[in-house]
Amino acid sequence: MKLSAALLVLALLAVQGQMWFGPRSMAQVSELRSQLEAQQLRNQEARQQLVRLRAELKDLREGLEMVEEKARGELGLLKPDELFVPLK
């Protein structure tokens, strides 16, 4: 009887040891969960950027207003009859 109780206690200690210090320990599970949450956040941000880029691509394919806006904003282009006045 004492031998079987001792074996059960040893088995319980072995299981507890693996749970806290083994390859699938509670600390590792917690770390993996935090990594998963961070990756899901990065994925959500990437999805939002993809939606914006797709909308911009659609505008570029369909109209020249976006092309003109980008040329003016990013390249500083002017129409022949325009005068640029910088404001500070």
Side-chain angles (χ1 to χ4, degrees):
M1 188 64 144
K2 289 182 182 183
L3 181 62
S4 62
L7 288 176
L8 286 175
V9 168
L10 286 175
L12 179 64
L13 288 175
V15 169
Q16 286 290 319
Q18 286 180 349
M19 186 173 80
W20 291 104
F21 305 111
R24 293 182 193 106
S25 67
M26 298 296 282
Q28 185 181 21
V29 169
S30 177
E31 175 65 26
L32 289 173
R33 283 184 180 153
S34 66
Q35 288 177 6
L36 177 63
E37 289 173 3
Q39 185 63 48
Q40 287 174 338
L41 181 62
R42 288 192 298 266
N43 288 351
Q44 182 62 28
E45 291 170 354
R47 282 187 202 102
Q48 291 171 352
Q49 183 180 11
L50 181 61
V51 167
R52 286 191 302 269
L53 289 173
R54 283 182 176 165
E56 185 177 335
L57 181 62
K58 180 182 174 192
D59 288 343
L60 286 171
R61 286 182 177 166
E62 291 179 357
L64 293 177
E65 293 90 18
M66 182 60 118
V67 173
E68 183 178 343
E69 180 182 329
K70 281 207 161 290
R72 289 173 173 275
E74 294 178 9
L75 302 175
L77 296 179
L78 301 172
K79 291 182 180 179
D81 59 340
E82 289 182 332
L83 177 64
F84 177 69
V85 179
L87 300 176
K88 288 189 177 184

